[in-house]
Structure formats: structure tokens, C-alpha cells
Amino acid sequence: MSREVPLTTAEHDFIVEALKRNVRLDGRGIDELRPLNISFGDEYGHVKVQLGHTSLIVLMSAEVVKPHSDRPFDGIFTVSLELTNMGSPAWENGRQSDLEQNVTRTLDRVIRHSNALDTETLCIMKGQSCWGIRADVHVTNYDGNLIDCACIGIMTGLQHFRCPDAVVKDGKVSVYSIDERVPIPLNLTHRPLTITFHTFHDGELILMDASRKEELAAEGDMVIALNDAGQVCAVYKTVGRPVGAVDVMRKTSIALQKVQEIKNTIQKALDDDQSKRTRRNVGVEANSANDR
Amino acid sequence: MPRPTATLSPLLRADGSASYTCPSTGCLIMGSVNGPIELPGRRDAQKPEEATLDVLVKPGTAQAGVGEKYVEGILKGLLGRLLLGRETGFPRRGIVMTLVVSGGENGGKVRRGESYLPILPALLHTLLLALLSAAIPMSMTYTATAVAVTSTGEIKGDPSVRDAASAVSFHVLAFSSKGHLLLSQSEGSFDLDLWEQVYEHAYATCRGSQPVTADGDISMIEDASGYNLESFVRKTVEDQIHHDYSWMNNDA
């Protein structure tokens, strides 16, 4: 199973017909995101993201591991996303669904393969030890558009996370805990974010940030990933009716605006959290300009 | 005594959910319960006489392993005796419970080979609150607590992860709302006299007053405010019900 309960014909028709008049169930515009809310837990890299009713928790962690033998200079970065019964009653525990595979693959392509996190900076000692950074995504409530929500969560987590300091002396690696030495922020080369669209009416209507019901009624999807410099990192069109090149171009420029908006929201959330930490006297010395 | 905090039904799509912060270990646990639901993909889950219980414990920053499987077994064994899985509508269906552990000293990670016992009471309370929020029929409720015995023989309630690591023996006890001992998990070396003391301490933490001693005395050692874990569970659920039904209260 692991599939959402399908819409009734009446509900499906209602959504599709309403969209013909540019009306969405929740009253949003065609190119409008649901309200985005980002908050942080006590530890570095504990991010809570809410996009409308879709919500998830991202937990970042770092561990000293042995690098892959074919890439001795590289650290390891993994994204782990496991859909459990918590997010939606339709998801079975311990069984991989198509959605999970699809989301994991897209996130892998957009964040990991575009080298958003510079894994070479994670190297501690060539071929011996490196940091393994892990991003765990826990979906707590699923209401459509998991890809964008998870992407925002992971990118925020990467910017929020601090890695413990590790020093090599006489061929021995020593790792200092967060209390001993100021932890180091990760080195990001760029900040890609995805914007997901869904198509209706033979690809004539292309909708941003579909909710779960809209996703079920849609004909196809399209994912556009852009970074903060405005470069397109990836365009995915996996299922459904074809979309014209002009539409893709048009939607890409709209997606760029949205990516800038999301980037500002993330930055604001990060700044707020930083000032909160400074006030609590935790973040005072958490400044990489600090003399070691 | 540090007090836990909990929120009932924070999630929208699950039938019942609860989030719980354990004050001593600092871990934050989110629990969800769905039931009774169909489990069509699983033949083994279709028991003709009772509901199948499915518990998943998901560590925050690691892949689930043997430790999680072990603690899932403990939870399943305890709940199997409490949940009324033979009520109408439950046989051949499943009650699926999911717990996500985050926060705490290692970011919600119980390292391989490390014991799950320090956070077991928190897992049990989260499950109970999530089950109550999902309105799954149960024969009784329960409360659980952890007790550590230090090398000096001191009995320490609400131990942190560090206390647990240095303890000579470590115990987790759960009591039903009727005062029965439901679960007793112990680690380390101890004798029966010590266990009796641990039992009394745990009973007082969970239910407020000590059990009747051999000579028939009942000594009350509860918190000055009458606070105990059972009153915490009761208060949390009462507050939620009060909130849910505020629309029909004139005074609200």
C-alpha cells in the first residue's frame, strides 16, 4: 500500500474546476507558497520546518569516520529520510514507498551531488579519518510538497550546524567537544533550494507548492532547483503531461523570486536564533573569528 | 524535583500524538499512534482475535539497530497487557505506534551498545499520552520512573544519562493506575533488599504515597504540592480535554 487514500471523484473535480478559475482550496494564488515557519531546538542543527500543514524535523550530526578508499580527501555527507507512520497513516513503518525513494533521490541530486556542502573541508587526515555529516529528516505531518520542505530543512540545518573542532598532532587526531573549543560552521559552496510545481489541465496550469489534495488531483509535477546566485541546479520532470519550454522558463524566473524569499526567511530565522544564543551567553564565543 | 512537560495531539494527521520532554535526560520524544488501521501488506499482522501492536522507536540521528528492537520488545510486551485489542473493530487491524527520540546529551542518539533504560520511562509516558490522545481503549493507565543506585549506595531518582552510566545498578519500574507493578527492568548488581528500597522510591515518585509496609503503616512522602507522575499524566490530559471542549464551556 503506502499510498494516500485517493480523492473522491467529486473532490477531484471540485479542485480541478476551481483551478480553472484560478481559485485554490486554501485561497492562495497560483504562485504562492504556504506560510513558512522555521524554528530551532537547543542543539546546533536541530531544525523544525513548517510549510503550511507539512512539518518536519531535521537533525544534523557529525561523527568521525574513515573516508571511502577511492576518495581519501573527501568527507562523507548523507541524507537519511525515512517515512514513518507518524507523518501520514498511509505510510507503513519499515517499508520504503515510492514517495520516499523519489524525495530521497531528488534531495540527493540537488544538495549532495551539486556539492552544496564542500565535503573536502570535512577531511581530517587523508585516508584515515574524516567527518561524516548526517542529516536525518523526520516527517511529522505530511500535507504535500515534501521535497521543498525537506530541502529547506536540510539547507537550514547545514547553515545552523556546528562541527566540533578536530586537530591532528603527531599523526593523532583529537576531537574537542563543543564545551572545550568553539565549534566550526560547515563550509557551503552554494545554497540550492527546490521549488515544486504541479500541472493541471494538460499542462496549461502550473501550480506552486501543492497541498496533499492538490498533489493527488494533479496530472504531473516539475521540480526546479536554484541556488542563491540564481543558477539553475536541476530541473526534474518525472511524470505527467509535457510542459512547454516557455512555461519552464517562466516558472524558473518565478521560482527564483521564491528562492530569494525563502533564503531571506532562513537567514532571518538563523539571525534570530544566533542573537538568542548570544543573549544566553552560549553563542558569545561561537565566532569563528575567535583566536585559537 | 524536575518536572516533565508534555503536549497532547500536536500532530494533525496521526490519530493521536504527544510530545514529551524528559527533564533528567533532556531528550525530547515525539510519539504518534494510528489505530485501528488496516495493514494490508502484512499477512502476519492479521490476527483474527486481536489487534496487532506495532511499535517503532526511531533514533534522532542514526539508523535504528538492535537497541531499538530490544526496547520495542519491552514496550510491546507492556502494552499488550494494557490495550484492549479485542474490542469491536480491532481484530485483524493494527495499532501502529511511532516514537522519534531527539535532543538529549548526544542529540537523541543512544550509542550502539548503550542502554535504552535511561529514556525508557520517557518513551513509556509518550506512548501513554499518545494512546490517550488517540482514544485507544486501555484497561488502565500507568506511570514509570527510573532509579539509579550510586556506588555509595544512595538511591537517586530521575537520573541523568551520566548518572546512569556511573550507577552500580539501574532500575526502571512502571506502575499501573491501580498500583500494580507492571514492569521491572534492572541492570547491574543489587540484592533484594536494595530492590525493595528502589521499589518504594519508585512507587512514591509515580503514585505519591508509599505502599503499605509490613506493619500496616502508610507513610506519605509525596512532594509538598502533592505532585507525582500520575497527577502529571492526569493534569496533562485534563488540560487538553478542557481546551478541546472550551467551546461548550460558558465560563471559558
Side-chain angles (χ1 to χ4, degrees):
Chain A
M1 198 178 79
S2 294
R3 196 167 291 164
E4 296 286 332
V5 179
L7 294 178
T8 58
T9 316
E11 212 169 3
H12 176 270
D13 290 351
F14 183 83
I15 292 172
V16 172
E17 288 303 312
L19 280 176
K20 235 178 212 166
R21 294 174 198 145
N22 285 349
V23 176
R24 290 176 79 165
L25 281 187
D26 43 10
R28 272 184 294 157
I30 295 299
D31 292 320
E32 202 179 327
L33 286 170
R34 287 172 285 177
L36 173 66
N37 184 18
I38 301 170
S39 54
F40 300 95
D42 285 338
E43 304 96 31
Y44 286 119
H46 181 170
V47 188
K48 287 168 256 181
V49 185
Q50 272 179 302
L51 183 66
H53 286 317
T54 302
S55 67
L56 48 83
I57 302 171
V58 175
L59 294 168
M60 308 287 305
S61 54
E63 208 176 15
V64 179
V65 292
K66 198 175 161 64
H68 293 304
S69 53
D70 52 335
R71 300 198 64 89
F73 290 103
D74 253 357
I76 295 166
F77 174 47
T78 43
V79 175
S80 139
L81 176 120
E82 205 181 317
L83 301 182
T84 59
N85 202 263
M86 184 178 272
S88 158
W91 297 338
E92 250 179 275
N93 283 346
R95 190 167 296 202
Q96 212 181 31
S97 61
D98 290 348
L99 178 71
E100 180 179 326
Q101 237 172 12
N102 189 17
V103 175
T104 314
R105 195 177 302 147
T106 313
L107 289 176
D108 236 33
R109 285 273 158 205
V110 171
I111 300 175
R112 232 158 58 87
H113 292 233
S114 76
N115 224 1
L117 172 64
D118 186 6
T119 46
E120 286 196 2
T121 57
L122 300 176
C123 177
I124 301 170
M125 204 156 75
K126 180 201 159 189
Q128 294 295 316
S129 50
C130 67
W131 285 109
I133 305 286
R134 192 181 153 96
D136 279 82
V137 184
H138 303 282
V139 182
T140 48
N141 217 36
Y142 173 61
D143 189 30
N145 205 359
L146 201 52
I147 295 180
D148 293 6
C149 199
C151 190
I152 293 168
I154 296 168
M155 286 318 295
T156 314
L158 285 173
Q159 289 171 66
H160 188 250
F161 187 64
R162 299 286 184 274
C163 198
D165 196 10
V167 172
V168 184
K169 214 174 198 178
D170 304 330
K172 274 181 91 178
V173 179
S174 34
V175 177
Y176 295 94
S177 79
I178 290 185
D179 310 320
E180 286 172 310
R181 276 204 185 180
V182 179
I184 306 157
L186 298 173
N187 194 4
L188 302 183
T189 51
H190 68 149
R191 298 176 174 82
L193 286 169
T194 58
I195 301 287
T196 308
F197 296 92
H198 279 82
T199 61
F200 292 83
H201 300 301
D202 297 335
E204 267 174 37
L205 189 92
I206 304 173
L207 199 70
M208 182 187 284
D209 185 27
S211 68
R212 178 173 52 95
K213 285 188 172 169
E214 286 166 339
E215 271 185 11
L216 286 168
E219 289 168 348
D221 65 346
M222 177 169 70
V223 182
I224 301 177
L226 292 138
N227 64 15
D228 46 350
Q231 293 161 321
V232 178
C233 304
V235 178
Y236 286 100
K237 178 88 190 69
T238 45
V239 287
R241 303 291 174 97
V243 175
V246 181
D247 282 330
V248 176
M249 294 302 289
R250 204 159 45 83
K251 289 297 170 186
T252 307
S253 58
I254 294 169
L256 179 59
Q257 288 170 22
K258 290 293 161 188
V259 165
Q260 298 292 359
E261 265 175 45
I262 296 171
K263 196 194 84 182
N264 292 339
T265 315
I266 294 175
Q267 198 53 51
K268 195 172 167 297
L270 284 168
D271 291 345
D272 286 354
D273 186 65
Q274 186 59 40
S275 61
K276 220 182 274 171
R277 276 168 201 274
T278 314
R279 234 176 295 139
R280 268 192 322 205
N281 220 1
V282 179
V284 182
E285 57 291 72
N287 186 344
S288 52
N290 204 350
D291 184 44
R292 300 177 195 281
Chain B
M1 180 170 137
R3 294 182 178 187
T5 51
T7 321
L8 238 61
S9 313
L11 306 181
L12 292 169
R13 292 211 60 203
D15 289 344
S17 55
S19 73
Y20 181 93
T21 321
C22 175
S24 46
T25 57
C27 66
L28 175 77
I29 299 172
M30 178 84 94
S32 81
V33 171
N34 282 304
I37 56 164
E38 306 272 347
L39 297 169
R42 293 177 49 184
R43 276 296 286 167
D44 64 307
Q46 303 198 352
K47 289 193 247 169
E49 285 192 316
E50 55 179 346
T52 306
L53 304 185
D54 196 9
V55 185
L56 179 80
V57 177
K58 205 176 168 214
T61 55
Q63 212 84 45
V66 190
E68 284 75 25
K69 277 273 166 291
Y70 176 67
V71 78
E72 280 166 18
I74 296 175
L75 295 172
K76 227 186 269 183
L78 176 72
L79 291 171
R81 290 174 182 84
L82 295 180
L83 297 179
L84 301 172
R86 290 167 186 261
E87 298 277 297
T88 340
F90 279 90
R92 288 187 192 277
R93 298 202 168 82
I95 302 172
V96 185
M97 296 162 256
T98 316
L99 294 164
V100 174
V101 185
S102 62
E105 276 168 34
N106 301 321
K109 187 166 168 184
V110 176
R111 292 206 192 91
R112 181 165 293 184
E114 254 177 33
S115 163
Y116 249 97
L117 285 192
I119 64 162
L120 184 57
L123 292 174
L124 282 165
H125 285 151
T126 318
L127 260 187
L128 173 69
L129 291 170
L131 284 163
L132 290 172
S133 140
I136 304 284
M138 296 168 81
S139 55
M140 47 192 151
T141 60
Y142 58 81
T143 44
T145 192
V147 178
V149 180
T150 59
S151 49
T152 54
E154 188 199 344
I155 292 176
K156 200 161 188 258
D158 295 308
S160 65
V161 176
R162 208 162 292 163
D163 290 336
S166 62
V168 177
S169 69
F170 194 86
H171 313 262
V172 173
L173 288 93
F175 297 93
S176 76
S177 50
K178 292 169 184 158
H180 308 300
L181 179 67
L182 275 179
L183 175 84
S184 166
Q185 292 277 331
S186 302
E187 269 179 8
S189 60
F190 57 93
D191 55 20
L192 200 58
D193 288 342
L194 189 63
W195 189 84
E196 293 280 1
Q197 287 175 37
V198 167
Y199 174 80
E200 275 169 30
H201 188 281
Y203 194 93
T205 317
C206 287
R207 307 203 10 105
S209 57
Q210 276 187 321
V212 184
T213 48
D215 53 357
D217 286 348
I218 300 174
S219 54
M220 307 289 281
I221 59 151
E222 57 185 36
D223 210 280
S225 56
Y227 178 86
N228 56 51
L229 285 170
E230 207 168 274
S231 68
F232 158 74
V233 171
R234 202 166 275 277
K235 183 88 173 59
T236 311
V237 177
E238 263 173 20
D239 285 354
Q240 181 67 28
I241 291 171
H242 189 78
H243 178 259
D244 288 349
Y245 283 88
S246 58
W247 57 275
M248 57 190 270
N249 288 345
N250 290 327
D251 53 307

PDB file of all heavy atoms in Angstrom, chain A residues 155-169:
ATOM      1  N   MET A 155      18.930  22.452   4.164  1.00  0.00           N
ATOM      2  CA  MET A 155      19.810  23.602   3.904  1.00  0.00           C
ATOM      3  C   MET A 155      19.925  24.485   5.143  1.00  0.00           C
ATOM      4  O   MET A 155      21.004  24.995   5.450  1.00  0.00           O
ATOM      5  CB  MET A 155      19.295  24.425   2.713  1.00  0.00           C
ATOM      6  CG  MET A 155      19.508  23.791   1.351  1.00  0.00           C
ATOM      7  SD  MET A 155      21.111  23.023   1.114  1.00  0.00           S
ATOM      8  CE  MET A 155      22.184  24.445   1.222  1.00  0.00           C
ATOM      9  N   THR A 156      18.813  24.665   5.872  1.00  0.00           N
ATOM     10  CA  THR A 156      18.876  25.445   7.115  1.00  0.00           C
ATOM     11  C   THR A 156      19.741  24.713   8.141  1.00  0.00           C
ATOM     12  O   THR A 156      20.560  25.332   8.825  1.00  0.00           O
ATOM     13  CB  THR A 156      17.465  25.652   7.686  1.00  0.00           C
ATOM     14  OG1 THR A 156      16.598  26.053   6.644  1.00  0.00           O
ATOM     15  CG2 THR A 156      17.464  26.705   8.773  1.00  0.00           C
ATOM     16  N   GLY A 157      19.556  23.399   8.200  1.00  0.00           N
ATOM     17  CA  GLY A 157      20.343  22.602   9.137  1.00  0.00           C
ATOM     18  C   GLY A 157      21.838  22.720   8.851  1.00  0.00           C
ATOM     19  O   GLY A 157      22.638  22.883   9.768  1.00  0.00           O
ATOM     20  N   LEU A 158      22.213  22.673   7.575  1.00  0.00           N
ATOM     21  CA  LEU A 158      23.633  22.784   7.212  1.00  0.00           C
ATOM     22  C   LEU A 158      24.198  24.129   7.629  1.00  0.00           C
ATOM     23  O   LEU A 158      25.356  24.241   8.027  1.00  0.00           O
ATOM     24  CB  LEU A 158      23.804  22.596   5.695  1.00  0.00           C
ATOM     25  CG  LEU A 158      23.672  21.172   5.158  1.00  0.00           C
ATOM     26  CD1 LEU A 158      23.684  21.174   3.646  1.00  0.00           C
ATOM     27  CD2 LEU A 158      24.791  20.302   5.684  1.00  0.00           C
ATOM     28  N   GLN A 159      23.381  25.174   7.523  1.00  0.00           N
ATOM     29  CA  GLN A 159      23.869  26.504   7.894  1.00  0.00           C
ATOM     30  C   GLN A 159      23.884  26.695   9.406  1.00  0.00           C
ATOM     31  O   GLN A 159      24.641  27.500   9.922  1.00  0.00           O
ATOM     32  CB  GLN A 159      22.987  27.576   7.254  1.00  0.00           C
ATOM     33  CG  GLN A 159      23.181  27.666   5.763  1.00  0.00           C
ATOM     34  CD  GLN A 159      22.148  28.565   5.120  1.00  0.00           C
ATOM     35  OE1 GLN A 159      22.111  29.755   5.349  1.00  0.00           O
ATOM     36  NE2 GLN A 159      21.293  27.980   4.298  1.00  0.00           N
ATOM     37  N   HIS A 160      23.016  25.969  10.094  1.00  0.00           N
ATOM     38  CA  HIS A 160      22.903  26.144  11.546  1.00  0.00           C
ATOM     39  C   HIS A 160      23.889  25.263  12.294  1.00  0.00           C
ATOM     40  O   HIS A 160      24.338  25.608  13.382  1.00  0.00           O
ATOM     41  CB  HIS A 160      21.471  25.801  11.962  1.00  0.00           C
ATOM     42  CG  HIS A 160      21.150  26.120  13.390  1.00  0.00           C
ATOM     43  ND1 HIS A 160      20.940  25.154  14.337  1.00  0.00           N
ATOM     44  CD2 HIS A 160      21.016  27.307  14.009  1.00  0.00           C
ATOM     45  CE1 HIS A 160      20.696  25.741  15.495  1.00  0.00           C
ATOM     46  NE2 HIS A 160      20.728  27.042  15.333  1.00  0.00           N
ATOM     47  N   PHE A 161      24.235  24.132  11.705  1.00  0.00           N
ATOM     48  CA  PHE A 161      25.047  23.137  12.400  1.00  0.00           C
ATOM     49  C   PHE A 161      26.466  23.632  12.647  1.00  0.00           C
ATOM     50  O   PHE A 161      27.025  24.412  11.868  1.00  0.00           O
ATOM     51  CB  PHE A 161      25.073  21.846  11.581  1.00  0.00           C
ATOM     52  CG  PHE A 161      25.733  20.701  12.292  1.00  0.00           C
ATOM     53  CD1 PHE A 161      25.183  20.199  13.452  1.00  0.00           C
ATOM     54  CD2 PHE A 161      26.904  20.141  11.816  1.00  0.00           C
ATOM     55  CE1 PHE A 161      25.776  19.149  14.130  1.00  0.00           C
ATOM     56  CE2 PHE A 161      27.508  19.091  12.473  1.00  0.00           C
ATOM     57  CZ  PHE A 161      26.940  18.601  13.633  1.00  0.00           C
ATOM     58  N   ARG A 162      27.051  23.192  13.752  1.00  0.00           N
ATOM     59  CA  ARG A 162      28.458  23.479  14.052  1.00  0.00           C
ATOM     60  C   ARG A 162      29.148  22.148  14.319  1.00  0.00           C
ATOM     61  O   ARG A 162      28.671  21.346  15.097  1.00  0.00           O
ATOM     62  CB  ARG A 162      28.578  24.367  15.297  1.00  0.00           C
ATOM     63  CG  ARG A 162      27.902  25.715  15.179  1.00  0.00           C
ATOM     64  CD  ARG A 162      28.697  26.645  14.272  1.00  0.00           C
ATOM     65  NE  ARG A 162      28.131  27.986  14.211  1.00  0.00           N
ATOM     66  CZ  ARG A 162      27.178  28.353  13.376  1.00  0.00           C
ATOM     67  NH1 ARG A 162      26.669  27.492  12.538  1.00  0.00           N
ATOM     68  NH2 ARG A 162      26.718  29.604  13.384  1.00  0.00           N
ATOM     69  N   CYS A 163      30.276  21.991  13.633  1.00  0.00           N
ATOM     70  CA  CYS A 163      31.018  20.738  13.750  1.00  0.00           C
ATOM     71  C   CYS A 163      32.081  20.905  14.847  1.00  0.00           C
ATOM     72  O   CYS A 163      32.736  21.935  14.908  1.00  0.00           O
ATOM     73  CB  CYS A 163      31.680  20.474  12.400  1.00  0.00           C
ATOM     74  SG  CYS A 163      32.184  18.806  12.188  1.00  0.00           S
ATOM     75  N   PRO A 164      32.270  19.905  15.710  1.00  0.00           N
ATOM     76  CA  PRO A 164      33.322  20.020  16.721  1.00  0.00           C
ATOM     77  C   PRO A 164      34.690  20.196  16.066  1.00  0.00           C
ATOM     78  O   PRO A 164      34.927  19.737  14.956  1.00  0.00           O
ATOM     79  CB  PRO A 164      33.244  18.682  17.462  1.00  0.00           C
ATOM     80  CG  PRO A 164      31.915  18.136  17.154  1.00  0.00           C
ATOM     81  CD  PRO A 164      31.515  18.663  15.817  1.00  0.00           C
ATOM     82  N   ASP A 165      35.595  20.850  16.782  1.00  0.00           N
ATOM     83  CA  ASP A 165      36.926  21.098  16.238  1.00  0.00           C
ATOM     84  C   ASP A 165      37.779  19.831  16.372  1.00  0.00           C
ATOM     85  O   ASP A 165      37.771  19.179  17.410  1.00  0.00           O
ATOM     86  CB  ASP A 165      37.560  22.252  17.017  1.00  0.00           C
ATOM     87  CG  ASP A 165      38.758  22.818  16.283  1.00  0.00           C
ATOM     88  OD1 ASP A 165      38.954  22.427  15.117  1.00  0.00           O
ATOM     89  OD2 ASP A 165      39.475  23.636  16.875  1.00  0.00           O
ATOM     90  N   ALA A 166      38.495  19.497  15.313  1.00  0.00           N
ATOM     91  CA  ALA A 166      39.380  18.329  15.358  1.00  0.00           C
ATOM     92  C   ALA A 166      40.789  18.772  14.972  1.00  0.00           C
ATOM     93  O   ALA A 166      40.960  19.548  14.037  1.00  0.00           O
ATOM     94  CB  ALA A 166      38.896  17.252  14.407  1.00  0.00           C
ATOM     95  N   VAL A 167      41.777  18.300  15.705  1.00  0.00           N
ATOM     96  CA  VAL A 167      43.158  18.706  15.463  1.00  0.00           C
ATOM     97  C   VAL A 167      44.028  17.469  15.279  1.00  0.00           C
ATOM     98  O   VAL A 167      43.853  16.471  15.977  1.00  0.00           O
ATOM     99  CB  VAL A 167      43.683  19.553  16.652  1.00  0.00           C
ATOM    100  CG1 VAL A 167      45.158  19.824  16.514  1.00  0.00           C
ATOM    101  CG2 VAL A 167      42.907  20.846  16.748  1.00  0.00           C
ATOM    102  N   VAL A 168      44.937  17.533  14.291  1.00  0.00           N
ATOM    103  CA  VAL A 168      45.871  16.431  14.095  1.00  0.00           C
ATOM    104  C   VAL A 168      47.226  16.855  14.644  1.00  0.00           C
ATOM    105  O   VAL A 168      47.760  17.904  14.283  1.00  0.00           O
ATOM    106  CB  VAL A 168      46.008  16.087  12.594  1.00  0.00           C
ATOM    107  CG1 VAL A 168      46.911  14.871  12.422  1.00  0.00           C
ATOM    108  CG2 VAL A 168      44.659  15.823  11.989  1.00  0.00           C
ATOM    109  N   LYS A 169      47.755  16.080  15.546  1.00  0.00           N
ATOM    110  CA  LYS A 169      49.058  16.394  16.134  1.00  0.00           C
ATOM    111  C   LYS A 169      49.862  15.100  16.189  1.00  0.00           C
ATOM    112  O   LYS A 169      49.397  14.109  16.767  1.00  0.00           O
ATOM    113  CB  LYS A 169      48.856  16.957  17.544  1.00  0.00           C
ATOM    114  CG  LYS A 169      49.885  18.009  17.901  1.00  0.00           C
ATOM    115  CD  LYS A 169      49.539  18.631  19.237  1.00  0.00           C
ATOM    116  CE  LYS A 169      50.251  19.941  19.438  1.00  0.00           C
ATOM    117  NZ  LYS A 169      49.864  20.546  20.710  1.00  0.00           N
TER     118      LYS A 169
END
